[in-house]
Amino acid sequence: MTEQATTNHHSPEVTVDVLIVGAGFSGLCIAIKLQQAGTESFLVIEKGDDIGGTWHENRYPGCACDVPSHLYCFSFEPNPDWNRMYAGQAEIWEYLKSCAKRYGVLPHIRLKTRLREATWDEAKGVWHVLAGEGLTIDARVLVSGMGALHVPSYPELPGLARFAGPSFHSATWNPDVKLEGKSVAVIGTGASAIQFVPQIAPRTGKLYVFQRTPAWIVPKPDFSISEKWRQRFRRIPVVMWAFRKFLFWQHEFRVLAFLGHRWMGRFLERIALKNLEKRIKDPKLRAALTPNYALGCKRVLFSNDFYSALTRPNAELVSEGIAEVREHSIVTKDGVERPVDVLIYGTGFRVTEPMIAVRLVGRGGVEIHDAWRERMSAFLGVTVSGFPNFFILLGPNTGLGHNSVVLMIEAQVRYVMSCLKLMRRRGQKVMNLRPETQKRFVDEVVERLSHTVWQTGGCRSWYQDQKTGENTTLWPGSVVAYMRRTRSAAARDYE
Ligand code: NAP
């Protein structure tokens, strides 16, 4: 457990002004900003046994960020000491822990406390919250910092329950399972799998990588940052600031590939195909790894070692669909049976089903899952009509495919802080989004999405709602445009 991650809020009944759910990048960011604004009455509840969110949970070998470290950190807490261009899990986790400590928010965090239910009490203007084991919290303001990538998704494959060997998901990696000399099957070739496959390949006796859809993979310009440069960043902060700005614009420019500017997409596709040609000489394997949809439709992946891992003599890419899983093997649709000792799921997360296992009841007893029956939506991804004083960080349609999501978190936190200020200024205790504001925003998002590669690129992805096929996860624009929209809350948008 993190040193000093104790809390002042040990009682089973707590009343606070602001309750934050989750102690990852989002939850910590708003906790820090509240602390800086002089708000003492806030509590962060975190289901895990330590802070860090996704960077605490995901500990698979090779786990790292695919956004450069100097951009994947808080703007108010730049870190001159990043060891690599793309930091690994341990370094990012340490960074988050040091931020929480430095800004004094650790005493406000209650670990191992899972949100179970939150109900809006109209008469009192508070959220009644049930959390952990018998904890009740009354909070005027409820902020979700739960993120989207934390409920593992498992494939539904015939016979899966019969598998007799050890099995685990990339997000719940089991380091006690020895892979040395074993026949290991990995299902999935997404962002997580392409990071751990090269790490485990040399250890396994035989490695089968089951691919359903090939990804677009571009080289990752990763290297260690020399002590000389780290000193420079430390001594001359403006150099670090300029480097971050450079990275920001370099990434921001890429949004064009996603928003329907095909020349940009084709340019990146050429880079990816050159990378594939250079690393995979076998034409059959190369064909199996060549995507047949537009770049950007699914998340673009960055790797320098995934392709070479597949060319190892003990590795095999299996692109035939899985027909059945047996006690000690996997059978593909062509009838081939491969012996398997250990099964690893690199099958991602349940992203488009938000607030799984959480009951959130707003005005008039309406449950959020009912409010979102047609489409998961929130104004600017943050506020939902009928759910007063409730704010979502990294909510619907605010994910990114081209830049650092920490930038979006900071923009949203700024927006939430401006909502709280607006309430204070007007002497109001409650603010509820006007339904027409939400509708106008959703209509705009849907219209803009229709021109993007996510809708027109010819693929299915976790960006899309599994039932409707609509993209409910990504922001259809630039980060700059989002920052502009979220600069401050307008009273006219709220009742
Ligand atoms: P993912 O990108 O959703 O990939 C899941 C993989 O599993 C895909 O290849 C998918 O194939 C496959 N799959 C899913 N269900 C399957 C089934 N029933 N049968 C066969 N294959 C199946 O998941 P992830 O790799 O865990 O990454 C999730 C997200 O986490 C990323 O997109 C990214 O946003 C984030 N992440 C970020 C980093 C980082 O460096 N910042 C690192 C890791 C993860 P299909 O493509 O056919 O669906």
Side-chain angles (χ1 to χ4, degrees), residues 54-55 58 60 62-67 72 86-87 92 149 153-157 169-171 187-196 210-215 220 293 298-302 322 345-349 351 400 460-463:
T54 192
W55 295 105
N58 285 271
Y60 57 78
C63 181
C65 189
D66 58 11
V67 174
Y72 195 78
Y86 295 84
I92 301 173
L149 301 166
S153 168
Y154 292 91
E156 284 172 21
L157 296 169
H169 190 274
S170 60
I187 303 182
T189 50
S192 305
I194 64 146
Q195 291 186 338
F196 69 74
F210 289 87
Q211 171 188 270
R212 190 165 64 178
T213 318
K220 189 174 183 178
Y293 55 88
K298 281 170 176 288
R299 192 177 163 94
V300 180
L301 306 185
F302 296 81
I322 296 173
Y345 303 103
T347 41
F349 300 88
V351 180
L400 295 179
R460 286 288 298 189
S461 76
W462 64 257
Y463 296 155

